[in-house]
Amino acid sequence: MRTLRRDVLRPGGTLDPPPYDLDPATRHVGAFDDERTVLACVTIFPSPFVDEPLGWQLRGMAVDPVYQGRGIGRLVLDAAVELARSGGVPLLWANGRFNVLPFYERAGWTSIGAIFRYGPANLDHMVIVRRLSAVGRTVS
């Protein structure tokens, strides 16, 4: 998954794991072909959000460019949302790249706040949220 994330999100970056990958609570969701090649991936992990201390953050959403536009990203995103919901996570949030906000909005996410520059590529982002429930607990 790190290779796909690097190639899609941070070309030329390293394969060093980000700190959230090392957290035992972190969960990864992926789509694979018959040879177990990663086609799409996303990661969720505990990360409080503003007034939601039990919120989780979504990071590293990436789809192999050859497979973009085929619905695989939506399947992976929906699986991550369901994993969080089934674990009682009340809210997912992310720093969504501005150019893909329509993808998240079609999936039930809401953009909030102003556009800001973020990450090594210094691209436009907005905070996006997806409310899952009113009460939370930890995903297992």
Side-chain angles (χ1 to χ4, degrees):
M1 288 191 189
R2 287 187 196 133
T3 301
L4 179 62
R5 290 191 315 212
R6 181 206 54 205
D7 293 350
V8 171
L9 303 174
R10 293 178 177 78
T14 72
L15 289 175
D16 296 339
Y20 59 85
D21 270 359
L22 305 176
D23 183 334
T26 294
R27 299 292 176 256
H28 303 280
V29 177
F32 305 85
D33 67 11
D34 292 338
E35 287 79 42
R36 301 295 297 159
T37 301
V38 181
L39 306 179
C41 62
V42 68
T43 299
I44 60 173
F45 56 94
S47 181
F49 179 76
V50 187
D51 62 347
E52 183 50 74
L54 299 176
W56 280 48
Q57 187 174 359
L58 181 138
R59 297 250 344 229
M61 176 81 198
V63 179
D64 184 314
V66 171
Y67 294 92
Q68 290 177 4
R70 299 184 187 190
I72 295 170
R74 178 64 185 263
L75 291 172
V76 170
L77 180 62
D78 288 349
V81 167
E82 187 50 40
L83 176 63
R85 179 181 283 121
S86 69
V89 172
L91 178 125
L92 283 171
W93 70 277
N95 294 318
R97 289 185 177 193
F98 189 78
N99 65 316
V100 295
L101 291 180
F103 165 78
Y104 288 105
E105 291 166 351
R106 285 190 303 273
W109 292 69
T110 303
S111 302
I112 60 173
I115 297 170
F116 59 94
R117 306 286 273 182
Y118 181 75
N122 199 33
L123 298 174
D124 287 343
H125 286 70
M126 285 186 79
V127 173
I128 56 174
V129 297
R130 175 83 188 263
R131 171 78 44 200
L132 304 178
S133 69
V135 179
R137 64 179 190 270
T138 303
V139 171
S140 56

